[in-house]
Structures are given as C-alpha cells and as structure tokens.
C-alpha cells in the first residue's frame, strides 16, 4: 500500500477523473452505437474511433477542471 504524503497538488483530481471516465465511456459508447446504426457498419470500427476520442476529451476535461479547482482554492 502506497501511503506517501506530498504537498504537491495533483495533476488530475481522482474524484474528477472518476466522473469524467464514466462520462467519457458513456459518450463514447453512445457515439459508437449511433455511428454503427447510421452508417450500417460493424460495431468494432466505430468503437475503435469514437471510444478513444471520447476518452481523450474526457481526460483533457478532467485536467482543465482540476486546474480550475486548484486556481480557485489558491
């Protein structure tokens, strides 16, 4: 178990990242289903594109929200 203490502010707040991961997976899956249904293509192809793109946006959003939260706290 890692119990190191640090005064450094985290790059990504774990609570925010957890919420954004759920949002990213949800949006990615919704986009995947929509693309697969509208384009009439197999499910794997849109998933290979939409899910990683949604997760990258979610991670970027988590970083921005953490920076904003840390700026307000200071």
């Amino acid at each position: 178990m890692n119990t190191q203490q640090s005064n450094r502010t985290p790059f990504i707040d774990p609570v925010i990242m957890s919420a954004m991961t759920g949002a990213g997976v949800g949006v990615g899956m919704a986009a995947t289903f929509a693309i697969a249904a509208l384009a009439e293509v197999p499910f794997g192809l849109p998933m290979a594109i939409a899910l990683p793109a949604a997760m990258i946006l979610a991670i970027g959003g988590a970083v921005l929200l953490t920076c904003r939260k840390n700026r307000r706290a200071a």
Side-chain angles (χ1 to χ4, degrees), residues 31-50:
T32 299
F33 287 134
I35 293 168
L38 292 173
E40 296 180 3
V41 295
F43 184 70
L45 180 63
M47 180 179 267
I49 298 167

Side-chain angles (χ1 to χ4, degrees), residues 25-72:
V25 169
V27 168
M29 290 300 286
T32 299
F33 287 134
I35 293 168
L38 292 173
E40 296 180 3
V41 295
F43 184 70
L45 180 63
M47 180 179 267
I49 298 167
L51 195 57
M55 287 308 301
I56 288 171
L57 290 173
I59 292 169
V63 170
L64 290 175
L65 287 172
T66 301
C67 289
R68 184 176 180 184
K69 178 184 161 193
N70 291 339
R71 200 173 331 128
R72 283 187 178 176

